[in-house]
Amino acid sequence: MTREEEMPDWEGAQEFYGKYDPKDILGRGVSSVVRRCIERKTDREYAVKIIDITSEHLTPEELEEISTSTTQEISILKAVSGHPHIISLNDCYESSSFYFLVFDLMKRGELFDYLTEKVTLSEKEARNIMRALLEVVQFLHSKNIVHRDLKPENVLLDDNMNIKLSDFGFSLQLDPGKKLRELCGTPGYLAPEILLCSMDETHPGYGKEVDLWSCGVIMYTLLSGSPPFWHRKQMLMLRMIMDGNYNFDSLEWQDRSDTVKDLTIIWTVLASVRIYYNYRRAKPLTKQVLIRDPYAIKGIRKVIDGCAFKVYGHWVKKGLQQNRAALFENSPKAFLFSLGSDFDDVFEQPLE
Ligand code: ADP
Ligand code: MG
């Protein structure tokens, strides 16, 4: 290859590094890393998603797939940019090894981390977030775009706590009437039809509606702090999703209004599932109750959960097995079990 032919491959990277100074890491994905960066000329801060299309750990097919899906991600971002609740793509560069996608910097980070800090959100705060999220989904669907990876990690917060939807890595523009079959997304947020069609060749496939299922999962999670479908064994979690097997048993739901519970039920359209819950039971607070079951008292529960999230919150994100639901299992052994066998030793150590 002559130098002239090589040049265009380098140009993109050179242009990016000429214009921006990359700084600390804000987030990581399978083949991408997101860094804060500074525009040299203006000193303004941005976030750059650097997508590696050469990684030694991936097969040529996987790399080809990343390259195709990044091109798709860029074209969708360009098509939806400008919406008040969608992250703005400001600049974009491509070289033979990397893509550089420059976004507005969301200093408040992910809704996921905000929720971890707060444990649960008030109905008012959840309502504002859900209204904005549903407006974005309606906007995307009106353009026949399906996001396919809606989750609190992909919802970012700006300085004024407005939400901005990001990560269009699994997004697609659908031809009218076209159905999808591909199994993609994040396990806890997958709609049952995505799972069903991957197991049954005669299944007609899924459409844009899968985003609404994920929105329901997000709403449930914001209100109770813990996702509706979770099991340490992933197969059992997928079974729960396919059976529509969720409940309002957790203590967090006792403090929630009837309206929001009704909305959750209607939303997830699990009409065939009989849901039993007992949320009107008022418990008088006595010293005995406090000693016997401190976790049952809202104020004290908030303090306990807040401390637990402070201590364990950073582990929650590390992998599929480490779900925030584990923090709500209310048993240290169950939670440590969910972190993997490395932690088994903990139980063999005498307490200091
Ligand atoms: P992936 O496809 O690897 O999940 P994302 O686009 O979701 O990539 O980015 C990964 C993480 O990087 C996000 O979850 C978030 O924590 C951080 N991030 C992404 N974009 C921004 C941004 N514009 N401002 C601040 N943080 C961001
Ligand atoms: Mg993401």
Side-chain angles (χ1 to χ4, degrees):
M1 202 184 267
T2 65
R3 179 149 171 75
E4 284 67 35
E5 280 168 321
E6 265 178 41
M7 273 305 283
D9 274 353
W10 285 103
E11 254 174 34
Q14 274 181 341
E15 259 186 79
F16 169 77
Y17 287 108
K19 198 167 164 190
Y20 298 93
D21 183 13
K23 299 285 186 191
D24 46 303
I25 293 178
L26 302 169
R28 274 180 194 281
V30 181
S31 58
S32 72
V33 52
V34 177
R35 284 181 181 274
R36 188 170 65 84
C37 67
I38 312 241
E39 190 179 27
R40 296 179 194 276
K41 211 158 88 184
T42 60
D43 250 2
R44 281 178 65 175
E45 287 183 308
Y46 291 93
V48 59
K49 182 168 174 175
I50 305 173
I51 300 165
D52 185 353
I53 42 171
T54 59
S55 171
E56 296 158 359
H57 310 292
L58 301 172
T59 65
E61 292 75 33
E62 284 168 332
L63 292 172
E64 180 62 34
E65 210 179 297
I66 290 169
S67 187
T68 316
S69 71
T70 306
T71 316
Q72 178 100 305
E73 182 175 353
I74 294 168
S75 100
I76 288 182
L77 278 163
K78 284 183 177 164
V80 298
S81 219
H83 189 283
H85 293 301
I86 294 180
I87 192 81
S88 294
L89 178 69
N90 295 302
D91 229 348
C92 176
Y93 301 91
E94 185 186 340
S95 76
S96 56
S97 320
F98 298 102
Y99 283 93
F100 302 87
L101 277 56
V102 182
F103 296 100
D104 280 351
L105 176 67
M106 295 295 114
K107 288 213 190 97
R108 307 283 313 239
E110 302 171 10
L111 175 59
F112 184 98
D113 293 322
Y114 179 65
L115 182 62
T116 299
E117 186 191 305
K118 300 272 287 220
V119 184
T120 61
L121 302 188
S122 68
E123 284 182 25
K124 184 169 176 230
E125 207 170 2
R127 183 164 60 236
N128 290 338
I129 290 172
M130 289 311 301
R131 181 185 292 128
L133 184 60
L134 288 168
E135 270 170 26
V136 186
V137 171
Q138 190 179 33
F139 169 76
L140 294 176
H141 289 189
S142 73
K143 290 180 170 291
N144 256 331
I145 292 168
V146 53
H147 186 280
R148 295 203 292 182
D149 202 16
L150 297 177
K151 57 179 177 179
E153 292 90 322
N154 287 337
V155 176
L156 306 179
L157 299 165
D158 73 8
D159 294 355
N160 302 317
M161 295 303 284
N162 291 313
I163 67 152
K164 300 271 183 183
L165 180 58
S166 75
D167 197 354
F168 286 74
F170 286 133
S171 302
L172 273 184
Q173 184 147 35
L174 279 174
D175 295 330
K178 172 122 193 289
K179 291 283 179 188
L180 298 164
R181 306 197 62 84
E182 196 189 351
L183 177 62
C184 75
T186 303
Y189 300 84
L190 292 178
E193 60 266 41
I194 301 182
L195 298 169
L196 288 169
C197 84
S198 73
M199 291 172 192
D200 172 9
E201 280 176 14
T202 63
H203 191 281
Y206 65 88
K208 295 179 287 193
E209 307 76 23
V210 297
D211 282 343
L212 287 170
W213 178 277
S214 313
C215 287
V217 175
I218 293 173
M219 186 174 81
Y220 183 107
T221 310
L222 296 182
L223 291 166
S224 74
S226 176
F229 306 107
W230 185 77
H231 197 285
R232 242 171 279 124
K233 295 200 169 86
Q234 205 184 121
M235 270 321 288
L236 295 181
M237 181 183 80
L238 300 182
R239 186 78 258 164
M240 285 171 79
I241 294 172
M242 286 187 288
D243 292 345
N245 176 9
Y246 73 99
N247 61 52
F248 293 127
D249 290 349
S250 97
L251 288 169
E252 285 306 324
W253 285 107
Q254 285 187 17
D255 307 321
R256 298 299 180 190
S257 71
D258 294 358
T259 322
V260 80
K261 275 182 274 203
D262 288 346
L263 174 61
T264 314
I265 298 169
I266 293 163
W267 192 333
T268 44
V269 199
L270 297 174
S272 61
V273 183
R274 292 283 309 274
I275 295 163
Y276 296 99
Y277 51 93
N278 179 8
Y279 51 87
R280 290 207 185 83
R281 190 163 36 105
K283 282 190 190 145
L285 177 56
T286 63
K287 198 172 159 196
Q288 282 73 20
V289 170
L290 188 64
I291 293 166
R292 197 179 58 235
D293 192 5
Y295 196 73
I297 300 151
K298 185 182 175 188
I300 295 175
R301 189 163 68 248
K302 276 251 171 220
V303 174
I304 297 173
D305 287 345
C307 291
F309 270 78
K310 274 209 184 84
V311 176
Y312 298 120
H314 64 287
W315 280 336
V316 174
K317 264 172 82 171
K318 285 192 183 153
L320 291 176
Q321 298 305 312
Q322 295 164 26
N323 190 289
R324 66 169 64 243
L327 289 174
F328 282 83
E329 285 202 318
N330 208 10
S331 138
K333 175 121 192 173
F335 178 58
L336 290 175
F337 177 81
S338 77
L339 295 171
S341 53
D342 293 355
F343 289 81
D344 287 351
D345 295 349
V346 171
F347 296 100
E348 311 310 326
Q349 309 287 329
L351 287 174
E352 298 279 305

